[in-house]
Amino acid sequence: EVQLVESGGGLVQPGRSLRLSCTASEVTLRNFAMTWVRQAPGKGLEWVSSISGSVGSTYYADSVKGRFTISRDNSKNTLYLQMNSLRDEDTAIYYCATVSSGSFPYWGQGTLVTVSS
Amino acid sequence: SYVLTQPPSVSVAPGKTAIITCGGNNVGSKNVHWYQQKSGQAPVLVVYDDAVRPSGIPERFSGSNSGNAATLTISRVEAGDEADYFCQVWDSSSVHTVFGGGTKLTVL
């Protein structure tokens, strides 16, 4: 069974940076496209970013483009989300998930990011 | 940007059928995926590519997609089906993934 575990969340001041990690077990991440999805408190799901499996092409929501960077370290079987210039509205639970033909079959349990002064 | 519209809430009695809609411009030309999210938990994929159930998802869950609306149908609804449901597509024109706003299913 594929297991994804996110880490790196926490309380951060506006304007600061944070890096989230997503570590996988029972699956080799380099073989998969991966994605980050977030959910603000009491709100719906918002797609954040995706990275393709082979070429490593990256895609970003307009709300984070230029501030967030998705990447992967195949040697560590880990997916990352580098978040810079954080804003109050970036406060959310951040989930990583695998991508299969456009759907997201496997999800982690999420890590909470709170942006507040 | 592409928009998916869902009703905020749907209520249904146990044993009855719940239908959750997901509207979008010519959404029938896209592959629609559906997720169930119970309180405090991560989302779970319940239907992909309009109408395909992942392994372990009960046959009571089914989907369809045509024209400007996709639907998720839950037959013989149980108390355990109470959750938020989200539709999702990949919009090739914007190279973005889009989620609907979500529908809260209440089992009366």
Side-chain angles (χ1 to χ4, degrees):
Chain A
E1 179 72 16
V2 173
Q3 288 195 339
L4 303 173
V5 178
E6 301 93 339
S7 60
L11 174 63
V12 61
Q13 294 179 327
R16 304 297 291 267
S17 299
L18 207 59
R19 188 179 78 162
L20 305 183
S21 301
C22 170
T23 302
S25 59
E26 308 302 327
V27 65
T28 301
L29 286 190
R30 69 171 178 268
N31 296 331
F32 286 85
M34 298 292 295
T35 196
W36 288 97
V37 174
R38 69 184 181 184
Q39 187 170 35
K43 301 299 184 182
L45 302 175
E46 180 188 13
W47 171 73
V48 174
S49 180
S50 296
I51 185 168
S52 67
S54 52
V55 179
S57 300
T58 57
Y59 309 90
Y60 297 95
D62 294 343
S63 57
V64 306
K65 194 169 187 178
R67 300 188 299 123
F68 290 11
T69 302
I70 189 171
S71 63
R72 66 208 306 166
D73 185 333
N74 292 334
S75 66
K76 296 182 178 179
N77 210 31
T78 299
L79 176 75
Y80 299 104
L81 185 67
Q82 177 67 43
M83 304 186 296
N84 299 332
S85 303
L86 283 162
R87 306 167 179 168
D88 290 352
E89 55 264 35
D90 295 319
T91 294
I93 296 173
Y94 285 73
Y95 298 99
C96 66
T98 61
V99 181
S100 176
S101 298
S103 69
F104 306 153
Y106 298 104
W107 296 64
Q109 284 305 302
T111 185
L112 177 62
V113 172
T114 303
V115 183
S116 175
S117 54
Chain B
S1 60
Y2 194 77
V3 176
L4 293 173
T5 301
Q6 297 182 237
S9 63
V10 168
S11 298
V12 64
K16 300 300 185 182
T17 298
I19 298 176
I20 299 173
T21 59
C22 175
N25 184 32
N26 198 24
V27 71
S29 67
K30 303 179 186 298
N31 289 324
V32 177
H33 318 294
W34 291 92
Y35 302 85
Q36 176 194 67
Q37 187 181 32
K38 296 183 179 180
S39 181
Q41 298 183 19
V44 172
L45 181 67
V46 294
V47 167
Y48 66 95
D49 291 351
D50 298 338
V52 184
R53 280 188 318 277
S55 174
I57 300 301
E59 291 183 7
R60 300 184 297 104
F61 289 81
S62 62
S64 65
N65 184 20
S66 179
N68 293 318
T71 62
L72 175 69
T73 300
I74 309 171
S75 304
R76 302 180 300 282
V77 167
E78 304 173 355
D81 297 331
E82 192 161 278
D84 294 322
Y85 291 84
F86 298 89
C87 59
Q88 175 247 317
V89 301
W90 167 257
D91 178 37
S92 57
S93 62
S94 63
V95 205
H96 281 22
T97 286
V98 179
F99 284 98
T103 297
K104 182 176 182 60
L105 177 66
T106 299
V107 181
L108 301 171

PDB file of all heavy atoms in Angstrom, chain A residues 61-90:
ATOM      1  N   ALA A  61      -0.422  26.848  -9.664  1.00  0.00           N
ATOM      2  CA  ALA A  61      -1.604  27.691  -9.602  1.00  0.00           C
ATOM      3  C   ALA A  61      -1.168  29.151  -9.672  1.00  0.00           C
ATOM      4  O   ALA A  61      -0.075  29.511  -9.214  1.00  0.00           O
ATOM      5  CB  ALA A  61      -2.372  27.419  -8.320  1.00  0.00           C
ATOM      6  N   ASP A  62      -2.029  29.985 -10.216  1.00  0.00           N
ATOM      7  CA  ASP A  62      -1.693  31.406 -10.351  1.00  0.00           C
ATOM      8  C   ASP A  62      -1.422  32.031  -8.986  1.00  0.00           C
ATOM      9  O   ASP A  62      -0.601  32.948  -8.866  1.00  0.00           O
ATOM     10  CB  ASP A  62      -2.833  32.152 -11.047  1.00  0.00           C
ATOM     11  CG  ASP A  62      -3.025  31.718 -12.492  1.00  0.00           C
ATOM     12  OD1 ASP A  62      -2.104  31.095 -13.055  1.00  0.00           O
ATOM     13  OD2 ASP A  62      -4.097  32.007 -13.058  1.00  0.00           O
ATOM     14  N   SER A  63      -2.092  31.539  -7.946  1.00  0.00           N
ATOM     15  CA  SER A  63      -1.974  32.123  -6.612  1.00  0.00           C
ATOM     16  C   SER A  63      -0.600  31.907  -5.977  1.00  0.00           C
ATOM     17  O   SER A  63      -0.260  32.597  -5.009  1.00  0.00           O
ATOM     18  CB  SER A  63      -3.052  31.541  -5.692  1.00  0.00           C
ATOM     19  OG  SER A  63      -2.947  30.130  -5.634  1.00  0.00           O
ATOM     20  N   VAL A  64       0.169  30.951  -6.490  1.00  0.00           N
ATOM     21  CA  VAL A  64       1.475  30.669  -5.884  1.00  0.00           C
ATOM     22  C   VAL A  64       2.629  30.804  -6.868  1.00  0.00           C
ATOM     23  O   VAL A  64       3.796  30.718  -6.460  1.00  0.00           O
ATOM     24  CB  VAL A  64       1.507  29.257  -5.261  1.00  0.00           C
ATOM     25  CG1 VAL A  64       0.348  29.067  -4.286  1.00  0.00           C
ATOM     26  CG2 VAL A  64       1.495  28.176  -6.331  1.00  0.00           C
ATOM     27  N   LYS A  65       2.332  31.007  -8.135  1.00  0.00           N
ATOM     28  CA  LYS A  65       3.384  31.071  -9.153  1.00  0.00           C
ATOM     29  C   LYS A  65       4.348  32.215  -8.846  1.00  0.00           C
ATOM     30  O   LYS A  65       3.935  33.321  -8.515  1.00  0.00           O
ATOM     31  CB  LYS A  65       2.758  31.254 -10.539  1.00  0.00           C
ATOM     32  CG  LYS A  65       3.728  31.006 -11.684  1.00  0.00           C
ATOM     33  CD  LYS A  65       3.009  30.926 -13.013  1.00  0.00           C
ATOM     34  CE  LYS A  65       3.948  30.524 -14.125  1.00  0.00           C
ATOM     35  NZ  LYS A  65       3.245  30.388 -15.432  1.00  0.00           N
ATOM     36  N   GLY A  66       5.630  31.882  -8.915  1.00  0.00           N
ATOM     37  CA  GLY A  66       6.653  32.871  -8.606  1.00  0.00           C
ATOM     38  C   GLY A  66       7.060  32.881  -7.145  1.00  0.00           C
ATOM     39  O   GLY A  66       8.088  33.480  -6.795  1.00  0.00           O
ATOM     40  N   ARG A  67       6.275  32.248  -6.282  1.00  0.00           N
ATOM     41  CA  ARG A  67       6.583  32.195  -4.841  1.00  0.00           C
ATOM     42  C   ARG A  67       6.907  30.775  -4.382  1.00  0.00           C
ATOM     43  O   ARG A  67       7.723  30.580  -3.482  1.00  0.00           O
ATOM     44  CB  ARG A  67       5.420  32.739  -4.028  1.00  0.00           C
ATOM     45  CG  ARG A  67       5.051  34.173  -4.315  1.00  0.00           C
ATOM     46  CD  ARG A  67       4.015  34.691  -3.326  1.00  0.00           C
ATOM     47  NE  ARG A  67       2.767  33.929  -3.370  1.00  0.00           N
ATOM     48  CZ  ARG A  67       2.230  33.320  -2.316  1.00  0.00           C
ATOM     49  NH1 ARG A  67       2.812  33.373  -1.126  1.00  0.00           N
ATOM     50  NH2 ARG A  67       1.077  32.666  -2.440  1.00  0.00           N
ATOM     51  N   PHE A  68       6.247  29.783  -4.973  1.00  0.00           N
ATOM     52  CA  PHE A  68       6.420  28.387  -4.573  1.00  0.00           C
ATOM     53  C   PHE A  68       7.197  27.633  -5.656  1.00  0.00           C
ATOM     54  O   PHE A  68       7.063  27.927  -6.850  1.00  0.00           O
ATOM     55  CB  PHE A  68       5.079  27.691  -4.376  1.00  0.00           C
ATOM     56  CG  PHE A  68       4.289  28.150  -3.181  1.00  0.00           C
ATOM     57  CD1 PHE A  68       4.632  29.274  -2.444  1.00  0.00           C
ATOM     58  CD2 PHE A  68       3.156  27.433  -2.772  1.00  0.00           C
ATOM     59  CE1 PHE A  68       3.908  29.687  -1.341  1.00  0.00           C
ATOM     60  CE2 PHE A  68       2.412  27.833  -1.677  1.00  0.00           C
ATOM     61  CZ  PHE A  68       2.793  28.960  -0.969  1.00  0.00           C
ATOM     62  N   THR A  69       7.984  26.641  -5.224  1.00  0.00           N
ATOM     63  CA  THR A  69       8.725  25.794  -6.153  1.00  0.00           C
ATOM     64  C   THR A  69       8.560  24.333  -5.752  1.00  0.00           C
ATOM     65  O   THR A  69       8.844  23.969  -4.600  1.00  0.00           O
ATOM     66  CB  THR A  69      10.214  26.153  -6.162  1.00  0.00           C
ATOM     67  OG1 THR A  69      10.384  27.529  -6.512  1.00  0.00           O
ATOM     68  CG2 THR A  69      10.959  25.290  -7.184  1.00  0.00           C
ATOM     69  N   ILE A  70       8.102  23.521  -6.701  1.00  0.00           N
ATOM     70  CA  ILE A  70       7.979  22.082  -6.471  1.00  0.00           C
ATOM     71  C   ILE A  70       9.231  21.403  -7.019  1.00  0.00           C
ATOM     72  O   ILE A  70       9.771  21.797  -8.060  1.00  0.00           O
ATOM     73  CB  ILE A  70       6.697  21.524  -7.130  1.00  0.00           C
ATOM     74  CG1 ILE A  70       6.434  20.082  -6.711  1.00  0.00           C
ATOM     75  CG2 ILE A  70       6.768  21.647  -8.653  1.00  0.00           C
ATOM     76  CD1 ILE A  70       5.068  19.559  -7.170  1.00  0.00           C
ATOM     77  N   SER A  71       9.694  20.399  -6.299  1.00  0.00           N
ATOM     78  CA  SER A  71      10.870  19.666  -6.758  1.00  0.00           C
ATOM     79  C   SER A  71      10.859  18.275  -6.139  1.00  0.00           C
ATOM     80  O   SER A  71      10.026  17.974  -5.274  1.00  0.00           O
ATOM     81  CB  SER A  71      12.170  20.400  -6.378  1.00  0.00           C
ATOM     82  OG  SER A  71      12.290  20.485  -4.972  1.00  0.00           O
ATOM     83  N   ARG A  72      11.802  17.441  -6.576  1.00  0.00           N
ATOM     84  CA  ARG A  72      11.882  16.091  -6.026  1.00  0.00           C
ATOM     85  C   ARG A  72      13.341  15.688  -5.925  1.00  0.00           C
ATOM     86  O   ARG A  72      14.170  16.149  -6.709  1.00  0.00           O
ATOM     87  CB  ARG A  72      11.096  15.097  -6.883  1.00  0.00           C
ATOM     88  CG  ARG A  72      11.689  14.910  -8.280  1.00  0.00           C
ATOM     89  CD  ARG A  72      10.648  14.512  -9.302  1.00  0.00           C
ATOM     90  NE  ARG A  72       9.894  13.332  -8.903  1.00  0.00           N
ATOM     91  CZ  ARG A  72       8.761  12.971  -9.495  1.00  0.00           C
ATOM     92  NH1 ARG A  72       8.285  13.696 -10.481  1.00  0.00           N
ATOM     93  NH2 ARG A  72       8.117  11.913  -9.081  1.00  0.00           N
ATOM     94  N   ASP A  73      13.640  14.878  -4.930  1.00  0.00           N
ATOM     95  CA  ASP A  73      14.975  14.288  -4.772  1.00  0.00           C
ATOM     96  C   ASP A  73      14.786  12.781  -4.897  1.00  0.00           C
ATOM     97  O   ASP A  73      14.340  12.128  -3.946  1.00  0.00           O
ATOM     98  CB  ASP A  73      15.568  14.676  -3.420  1.00  0.00           C
ATOM     99  CG  ASP A  73      17.009  14.187  -3.249  1.00  0.00           C
ATOM    100  OD1 ASP A  73      17.369  13.176  -3.889  1.00  0.00           O
ATOM    101  OD2 ASP A  73      17.754  14.799  -2.477  1.00  0.00           O
ATOM    102  N   ASN A  74      15.111  12.254  -6.051  1.00  0.00           N
ATOM    103  CA  ASN A  74      14.865  10.834  -6.294  1.00  0.00           C
ATOM    104  C   ASN A  74      15.706   9.945  -5.375  1.00  0.00           C
ATOM    105  O   ASN A  74      15.266   8.855  -4.989  1.00  0.00           O
ATOM    106  CB  ASN A  74      15.137  10.493  -7.751  1.00  0.00           C
ATOM    107  CG  ASN A  74      14.115  11.127  -8.691  1.00  0.00           C
ATOM    108  OD1 ASN A  74      12.985  11.395  -8.280  1.00  0.00           O
ATOM    109  ND2 ASN A  74      14.508  11.376  -9.915  1.00  0.00           N
ATOM    110  N   SER A  75      16.895  10.412  -5.001  1.00  0.00           N
ATOM    111  CA  SER A  75      17.744   9.601  -4.132  1.00  0.00           C
ATOM    112  C   SER A  75      17.138   9.448  -2.736  1.00  0.00           C
ATOM    113  O   SER A  75      17.410   8.456  -2.048  1.00  0.00           O
ATOM    114  CB  SER A  75      19.136  10.223  -4.024  1.00  0.00           C
ATOM    115  OG  SER A  75      19.078  11.472  -3.356  1.00  0.00           O
ATOM    116  N   LYS A  76      16.328  10.412  -2.342  1.00  0.00           N
ATOM    117  CA  LYS A  76      15.671  10.363  -1.030  1.00  0.00           C
ATOM    118  C   LYS A  76      14.208   9.974  -1.142  1.00  0.00           C
ATOM    119  O   LYS A  76      13.504   9.920  -0.130  1.00  0.00           O
ATOM    120  CB  LYS A  76      15.799  11.719  -0.339  1.00  0.00           C
ATOM    121  CG  LYS A  76      17.229  12.117  -0.015  1.00  0.00           C
ATOM    122  CD  LYS A  76      17.282  13.445   0.720  1.00  0.00           C
ATOM    123  CE  LYS A  76      18.721  13.812   1.080  1.00  0.00           C
ATOM    124  NZ  LYS A  76      18.812  15.117   1.777  1.00  0.00           N
ATOM    125  N   ASN A  77      13.755   9.738  -2.368  1.00  0.00           N
ATOM    126  CA  ASN A  77      12.350   9.388  -2.600  1.00  0.00           C
ATOM    127  C   ASN A  77      11.415  10.401  -1.958  1.00  0.00           C
ATOM    128  O   ASN A  77      10.429  10.042  -1.296  1.00  0.00           O
ATOM    129  CB  ASN A  77      12.045   7.979  -2.075  1.00  0.00           C
ATOM    130  CG  ASN A  77      10.951   7.297  -2.857  1.00  0.00           C
ATOM    131  OD1 ASN A  77      10.782   7.534  -4.057  1.00  0.00           O
ATOM    132  ND2 ASN A  77      10.201   6.436  -2.191  1.00  0.00           N
ATOM    133  N   THR A  78      11.743  11.661  -2.137  1.00  0.00           N
ATOM    134  CA  THR A  78      11.028  12.738  -1.453  1.00  0.00           C
ATOM    135  C   THR A  78      10.630  13.842  -2.420  1.00  0.00           C
ATOM    136  O   THR A  78      11.396  14.210  -3.322  1.00  0.00           O
ATOM    137  CB  THR A  78      11.907  13.320  -0.328  1.00  0.00           C
ATOM    138  OG1 THR A  78      12.199  12.282   0.622  1.00  0.00           O
ATOM    139  CG2 THR A  78      11.188  14.454   0.387  1.00  0.00           C
ATOM    140  N   LEU A  79       9.445  14.344  -2.220  1.00  0.00           N
ATOM    141  CA  LEU A  79       8.898  15.490  -2.943  1.00  0.00           C
ATOM    142  C   LEU A  79       8.965  16.704  -2.033  1.00  0.00           C
ATOM    143  O   LEU A  79       8.763  16.574  -0.819  1.00  0.00           O
ATOM    144  CB  LEU A  79       7.445  15.207  -3.340  1.00  0.00           C
ATOM    145  CG  LEU A  79       6.650  16.314  -4.018  1.00  0.00           C
ATOM    146  CD1 LEU A  79       7.086  16.471  -5.468  1.00  0.00           C
ATOM    147  CD2 LEU A  79       5.150  15.996  -3.938  1.00  0.00           C
ATOM    148  N   TYR A  80       9.228  17.872  -2.609  1.00  0.00           N
ATOM    149  CA  TYR A  80       9.327  19.092  -1.818  1.00  0.00           C
ATOM    150  C   TYR A  80       8.401  20.178  -2.354  1.00  0.00           C
ATOM    151  O   TYR A  80       8.018  20.183  -3.532  1.00  0.00           O
ATOM    152  CB  TYR A  80      10.762  19.637  -1.834  1.00  0.00           C
ATOM    153  CG  TYR A  80      11.788  18.699  -1.259  1.00  0.00           C
ATOM    154  CD1 TYR A  80      12.643  17.975  -2.091  1.00  0.00           C
ATOM    155  CD2 TYR A  80      11.911  18.537   0.119  1.00  0.00           C
ATOM    156  CE1 TYR A  80      13.597  17.114  -1.579  1.00  0.00           C
ATOM    157  CE2 TYR A  80      12.857  17.668   0.644  1.00  0.00           C
ATOM    158  CZ  TYR A  80      13.694  16.965  -0.209  1.00  0.00           C
ATOM    159  OH  TYR A  80      14.623  16.105   0.312  1.00  0.00           O
ATOM    160  N   LEU A  81       8.060  21.110  -1.469  1.00  0.00           N
ATOM    161  CA  LEU A  81       7.414  22.349  -1.868  1.00  0.00           C
ATOM    162  C   LEU A  81       8.102  23.474  -1.105  1.00  0.00           C
ATOM    163  O   LEU A  81       7.937  23.589   0.108  1.00  0.00           O
ATOM    164  CB  LEU A  81       5.906  22.336  -1.574  1.00  0.00           C
ATOM    165  CG  LEU A  81       5.157  23.558  -2.092  1.00  0.00           C
ATOM    166  CD1 LEU A  81       5.143  23.576  -3.618  1.00  0.00           C
ATOM    167  CD2 LEU A  81       3.727  23.599  -1.545  1.00  0.00           C
ATOM    168  N   GLN A  82       8.899  24.260  -1.815  1.00  0.00           N
ATOM    169  CA  GLN A  82       9.542  25.418  -1.225  1.00  0.00           C
ATOM    170  C   GLN A  82       8.587  26.597  -1.341  1.00  0.00           C
ATOM    171  O   GLN A  82       8.173  26.954  -2.450  1.00  0.00           O
ATOM    172  CB  GLN A  82      10.856  25.739  -1.956  1.00  0.00           C
ATOM    173  CG  GLN A  82      11.564  26.986  -1.453  1.00  0.00           C
ATOM    174  CD  GLN A  82      12.090  26.832  -0.036  1.00  0.00           C
ATOM    175  OE1 GLN A  82      12.651  25.806   0.321  1.00  0.00           O
ATOM    176  NE2 GLN A  82      11.914  27.876   0.767  1.00  0.00           N
ATOM    177  N   MET A  83       8.240  27.165  -0.187  1.00  0.00           N
ATOM    178  CA  MET A  83       7.266  28.249  -0.157  1.00  0.00           C
ATOM    179  C   MET A  83       7.945  29.517   0.346  1.00  0.00           C
ATOM    180  O   MET A  83       8.397  29.568   1.494  1.00  0.00           O
ATOM    181  CB  MET A  83       6.097  27.864   0.752  1.00  0.00           C
ATOM    182  CG  MET A  83       5.427  26.568   0.353  1.00  0.00           C
ATOM    183  SD  MET A  83       3.948  26.196   1.327  1.00  0.00           S
ATOM    184  CE  MET A  83       4.660  25.999   2.941  1.00  0.00           C
ATOM    185  N   ASN A  84       8.029  30.512  -0.520  1.00  0.00           N
ATOM    186  CA  ASN A  84       8.638  31.788  -0.170  1.00  0.00           C
ATOM    187  C   ASN A  84       7.583  32.891  -0.123  1.00  0.00           C
ATOM    188  O   ASN A  84       6.471  32.719  -0.636  1.00  0.00           O
ATOM    189  CB  ASN A  84       9.714  32.161  -1.194  1.00  0.00           C
ATOM    190  CG  ASN A  84      10.847  31.154  -1.254  1.00  0.00           C
ATOM    191  OD1 ASN A  84      11.155  30.479  -0.265  1.00  0.00           O
ATOM    192  ND2 ASN A  84      11.481  31.040  -2.414  1.00  0.00           N
ATOM    193  N   SER A  85       7.950  33.999   0.485  1.00  0.00           N
ATOM    194  CA  SER A  85       7.059  35.170   0.561  1.00  0.00           C
ATOM    195  C   SER A  85       5.652  34.768   0.998  1.00  0.00           C
ATOM    196  O   SER A  85       4.651  35.124   0.350  1.00  0.00           O
ATOM    197  CB  SER A  85       7.007  35.883  -0.805  1.00  0.00           C
ATOM    198  OG  SER A  85       8.295  36.259  -1.217  1.00  0.00           O
ATOM    199  N   LEU A  86       5.578  34.029   2.088  1.00  0.00           N
ATOM    200  CA  LEU A  86       4.293  33.498   2.531  1.00  0.00           C
ATOM    201  C   LEU A  86       3.342  34.606   2.957  1.00  0.00           C
ATOM    202  O   LEU A  86       3.749  35.640   3.503  1.00  0.00           O
ATOM    203  CB  LEU A  86       4.505  32.505   3.666  1.00  0.00           C
ATOM    204  CG  LEU A  86       4.999  31.129   3.193  1.00  0.00           C
ATOM    205  CD1 LEU A  86       5.608  30.333   4.337  1.00  0.00           C
ATOM    206  CD2 LEU A  86       3.858  30.350   2.545  1.00  0.00           C
ATOM    207  N   ARG A  87       2.072  34.371   2.688  1.00  0.00           N
ATOM    208  CA  ARG A  87       1.009  35.313   2.988  1.00  0.00           C
ATOM    209  C   ARG A  87       0.007  34.672   3.938  1.00  0.00           C
ATOM    210  O   ARG A  87      -0.064  33.447   4.028  1.00  0.00           O
ATOM    211  CB  ARG A  87       0.302  35.727   1.697  1.00  0.00           C
ATOM    212  CG  ARG A  87       1.215  36.267   0.610  1.00  0.00           C
ATOM    213  CD  ARG A  87       0.473  36.352  -0.721  1.00  0.00           C
ATOM    214  NE  ARG A  87       1.313  36.906  -1.798  1.00  0.00           N
ATOM    215  CZ  ARG A  87       0.989  36.863  -3.081  1.00  0.00           C
ATOM    216  NH1 ARG A  87      -0.153  36.310  -3.455  1.00  0.00           N
ATOM    217  NH2 ARG A  87       1.820  37.387  -3.978  1.00  0.00           N
ATOM    218  N   ASP A  88      -0.808  35.515   4.573  1.00  0.00           N
ATOM    219  CA  ASP A  88      -1.845  34.989   5.467  1.00  0.00           C
ATOM    220  C   ASP A  88      -2.726  33.961   4.738  1.00  0.00           C
ATOM    221  O   ASP A  88      -3.106  32.945   5.317  1.00  0.00           O
ATOM    222  CB  ASP A  88      -2.729  36.132   5.972  1.00  0.00           C
ATOM    223  CG  ASP A  88      -1.995  37.051   6.935  1.00  0.00           C
ATOM    224  OD1 ASP A  88      -0.853  36.714   7.328  1.00  0.00           O
ATOM    225  OD2 ASP A  88      -2.551  38.104   7.290  1.00  0.00           O
ATOM    226  N   GLU A  89      -3.026  34.255   3.479  1.00  0.00           N
ATOM    227  CA  GLU A  89      -3.947  33.390   2.719  1.00  0.00           C
ATOM    228  C   GLU A  89      -3.325  32.062   2.312  1.00  0.00           C
ATOM    229  O   GLU A  89      -4.008  31.216   1.725  1.00  0.00           O
ATOM    230  CB  GLU A  89      -4.490  34.116   1.476  1.00  0.00           C
ATOM    231  CG  GLU A  89      -3.420  34.661   0.553  1.00  0.00           C
ATOM    232  CD  GLU A  89      -3.112  36.130   0.814  1.00  0.00           C
ATOM    233  OE1 GLU A  89      -3.159  36.554   2.003  1.00  0.00           O
ATOM    234  OE2 GLU A  89      -2.808  36.842  -0.163  1.00  0.00           O
ATOM    235  N   ASP A  90      -2.053  31.850   2.612  1.00  0.00           N
ATOM    236  CA  ASP A  90      -1.422  30.553   2.365  1.00  0.00           C
ATOM    237  C   ASP A  90      -1.660  29.586   3.540  1.00  0.00           C
ATOM    238  O   ASP A  90      -1.268  28.415   3.452  1.00  0.00           O
ATOM    239  CB  ASP A  90       0.074  30.713   2.146  1.00  0.00           C
ATOM    240  CG  ASP A  90       0.413  31.503   0.892  1.00  0.00           C
ATOM    241  OD1 ASP A  90      -0.262  31.288  -0.137  1.00  0.00           O
ATOM    242  OD2 ASP A  90       1.331  32.352   0.944  1.00  0.00           O
TER     243      ASP A  90
END
